């Protein structure tokens, strides 16, 4: 007798009481410069995939992407005297912007990228809303940065080496400034891209370029910055910026994580847990060293969303650090009872 695993039961329902499986599929794509208008203008790397989907903080299908461009969510320019915010670097007000695309030409350009990836336009994705228990199920479109490590020149199945991207500015031989991207893989392989021609450097060479002022995270007022594929603008005024020394710490931390080692944040959290369980002067000094090894712009992530790094700073630098906590400052302005945070003191003080 033939067994049908999908037989109907007496209630006329399919019996799916079978072992569960799932599968994943690799969808090729490329990263390209873009702008998201969400309150202010954010420089982003749009991720364009062969199935017609574009990751632009929304991730639906190409028709939705076109609507995002037409309504201004995906922007093709930044008005003069408004700000550009660049992840991991800072924010600047700009002037004299010259932009390559209008809305229609940008849509056409992205479509040409999709056709390059998928010449026959096979299996283009069509979005349909997914709900579970009346909750819309979203999907992240962020892909993985990678390079191919070929064993032979025509290797049909090259190994994918996973990396991570970071933004910096490059000052070229003609003293022109470019917003570039570092694709970081390990100490021996950092690819400098978002230029007419990419090139590869080591961590040691990157440090040397920083010393020589060729790679930087801050900009003098009045300089012109080029973004490949988008346009150029003149920097009018800095709102805030990350110091290059902090970016270097971030890049080194990225390499540690890519090598499977604990990040500086993870190391700090672990020592804080040890200190809480057994508060000693030695562990407080270890905590101080671990905390100060974290790039400044990432230190808030050692705590939760409310307290951030306040507890760590109170342990290291003194209980007066609570006065810098946003909740404390708000309560003080409102004339309300000031919040408190209890921290363990070293047993051998």
């Amino acid at each position: 007798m033939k067994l049908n695993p999908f037989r109907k039961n007496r209630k006329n329902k399919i019996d799916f009481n079978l072992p569960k499986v799932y599968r994943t599929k690799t969808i090729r794509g490329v990263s390209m410069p873009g702008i998201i208008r969400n309150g202010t203008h954010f420089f982003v790397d749009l991720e364009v995939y062969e199935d017609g989907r574009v990751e632009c903080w929304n991730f639906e299908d190409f028709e939705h992407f076109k609507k995002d461009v037409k309504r201004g969510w995906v922007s093709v320019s930044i008005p003069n005297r408004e700000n550009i915010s660049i992840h991991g670097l800072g924010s600047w007000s700009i002037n004299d912007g010259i932009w390559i695309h209008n809305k229609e030409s940008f849509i056409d350009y992205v479509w040409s990228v999709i056709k390059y990836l998928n010449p026959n336009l096979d299996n283009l994705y069509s979005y349909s809303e997914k709900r579970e228990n009346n909750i819309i199920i979203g999907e992240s479109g962020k892909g993985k940065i990678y390079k191919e490590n070929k064993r032979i020149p025509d290797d049909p199945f090259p190994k994918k080496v996973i990396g991570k991207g970071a933004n910096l500015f490059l000052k070229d031989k003609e003293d022109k400034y470019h917003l570039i991207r570092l694709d970081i893989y390990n100490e021996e392989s950092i690819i400098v891209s978002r230029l007419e021609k990419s090139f590869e450097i080591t961590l040691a060479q990157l440090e040397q370029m920083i010393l020589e002022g060729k790679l930087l995270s801050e900009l003098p007022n009045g300089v012109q910055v080029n973004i490949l594929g988008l346009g150029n603008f003149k920097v009018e005024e800095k709102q805030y910026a990350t110091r290059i020394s902090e970016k270097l710490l971030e890049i080194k931390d990225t390499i540690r994580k890519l090598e499977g080692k604990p990040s500086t944040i993870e190391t700090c959290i672990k020592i804080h847990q040890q200190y809480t369980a057994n508060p000693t002067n030695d562990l407080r000094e270890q905590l101080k060293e671990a905390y100060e090894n974290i790039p400044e712009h990432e230190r808030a992530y050692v705590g939760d969303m409310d307290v951030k790094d306040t507890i760590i700073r109170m342990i290291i630098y003194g209980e007066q650090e609570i006065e810098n906590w946003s909740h404390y400052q708000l309560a003080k302005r409102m004339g309300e009872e000031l919040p408190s945070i209890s921290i363990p003191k070293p047993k051998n003080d």
Side-chain angles (χ1 to χ4, degrees):
M1 183 179 73
K2 227 175 188 180
L3 178 64
N4 179 4
F6 300 108
R7 68 187 183 279
K8 293 185 177 181
N9 63 20
R10 291 179 182 176
K11 292 182 181 179
N12 207 31
K13 291 183 179 178
I14 303 296
D15 181 4
F16 283 112
N17 188 24
L18 298 170
K20 294 179 175 64
V21 297
Y22 76 95
R23 65 190 179 92
T24 57
K25 183 180 180 181
T26 299
I27 308 293
R28 295 179 309 132
V30 294
S31 221
M32 56 182 287
I35 302 165
I36 300 292
R37 176 74 165 105
N38 183 23
T40 189
H41 291 84
F42 295 90
F43 172 80
V44 298
D45 281 304
L46 301 174
E47 295 184 354
V48 183
Y49 292 96
E50 62 182 327
D51 62 356
R53 302 181 81 178
V54 182
E55 201 289 319
C56 56
W57 295 8
N58 293 328
F59 191 55
E60 294 167 347
D61 57 26
F62 191 71
E63 290 304 312
H64 283 78
F65 169 73
K66 286 164 63 176
K67 290 175 185 175
D68 279 343
V69 175
K70 290 176 180 178
R71 70 186 176 96
W73 172 261
V74 176
S75 184
V76 294
S77 64
I78 301 175
N80 291 336
R81 293 184 173 82
E82 291 201 15
N83 294 344
I84 181 172
S85 179
I86 304 172
H87 177 69
L89 287 185
S91 177
W92 293 263
S93 61
I94 69 166
N95 209 342
D96 298 335
I98 300 173
W99 305 98
I100 295 172
H101 291 287
N102 59 36
K103 292 181 179 182
E104 292 301 325
S105 71
F106 190 66
I107 290 169
D108 290 344
Y109 175 54
V110 173
W111 182 244
S112 72
V113 172
I114 293 168
K115 289 174 72 174
Y116 171 79
L117 294 167
N118 183 359
N120 297 323
L121 298 178
D122 294 326
N123 301 316
L124 293 182
Y125 185 86
S126 180
Y127 175 77
S128 60
E129 188 179 274
K130 299 177 179 66
R131 286 179 174 266
E132 190 170 316
N133 298 324
N134 212 30
I135 297 171
I136 297 173
I137 306 301
E139 182 181 354
S140 171
K142 294 302 291 181
K144 294 183 182 295
I145 295 169
Y146 74 95
K147 68 174 184 175
E148 292 182 339
N149 188 0
K150 295 185 177 181
R151 295 160 293 184
I152 56 175
D154 296 323
D155 190 347
F157 303 108
K159 179 183 177 184
K160 288 182 174 64
V161 181
I162 303 302
K164 188 167 174 49
N167 294 310
L168 273 183
F169 297 107
L170 180 140
K171 183 180 179 183
D172 66 20
K173 294 176 182 177
E174 299 174 352
D175 290 342
K176 293 179 180 176
Y177 292 81
H178 305 267
L179 176 58
I180 56 103
R181 184 170 110 169
L182 303 179
D183 288 343
I184 305 158
Y185 296 98
N186 53 52
E187 287 192 12
E188 299 303 316
S189 180
I190 299 172
I191 296 175
V192 182
S193 61
R194 218 183 280 134
L195 294 166
E196 292 289 348
K197 188 175 181 180
S198 300
F199 59 92
E200 190 170 13
I201 57 175
T202 64
L203 178 61
Q205 290 169 324
L206 181 138
E207 291 183 280
Q208 185 60 36
M209 290 179 74
I210 289 173
L211 284 173
E212 294 170 358
K214 295 176 181 176
L215 289 176
L216 54 160
S217 60
E218 299 182 78
L219 294 167
N221 290 343
V223 301
Q224 185 171 299
V225 177
N226 182 64
I227 306 178
L228 185 70
L230 278 186
N232 59 73
F233 56 83
K234 188 179 288 184
V235 172
E236 192 165 77
E237 186 180 1
K238 177 181 75 175
Q239 309 304 311
Y240 68 90
T242 301
R243 297 199 307 272
I244 191 62
S245 57
E246 299 302 314
K247 287 301 294 182
L248 183 57
L249 285 176
E250 178 191 320
I251 290 164
K252 290 180 176 180
D253 205 25
T254 294
I255 291 172
R256 273 193 290 270
K257 288 185 278 189
L258 289 169
E259 291 174 345
K261 298 174 183 175
S263 69
T264 51
I265 290 175
E266 290 167 338
T267 299
C268 186
I269 289 172
K270 183 177 179 181
I271 295 173
H272 176 232
Q273 290 169 343
Q274 292 172 344
Y275 176 87
T276 301
N278 181 33
T280 66
N281 278 319
D282 181 55
L283 281 172
R284 184 169 65 179
E285 286 304 309
Q286 290 182 42
L287 184 63
K288 181 176 185 291
E289 182 180 355
Y291 176 77
E292 292 176 353
N293 278 338
I294 301 171
E296 253 180 52
H297 56 290
E298 295 186 344
R299 289 177 183 173
Y301 299 120
V302 296
D304 62 34
M305 289 180 67
D306 288 331
V307 178
K308 298 184 172 62
D309 57 345
T310 303
I311 294 174
I312 304 289
R313 295 186 63 83
M314 288 172 67
I315 293 170
I316 296 171
Y317 305 121
E319 295 188 17
Q320 75 283 351
E321 286 292 325
I322 195 173
E323 296 173 14
N324 297 317
W325 182 27
S326 58
H327 288 48
Y328 185 97
Q329 292 173 346
L330 179 61
K332 190 173 182 179
R333 284 198 303 270
M334 300 289 288
E336 297 176 353
E337 183 180 348
L338 298 177
S340 62
I341 297 174
S342 178
I343 59 167
K345 293 184 178 179
K347 293 185 293 189
N348 45 355
D349 254 5

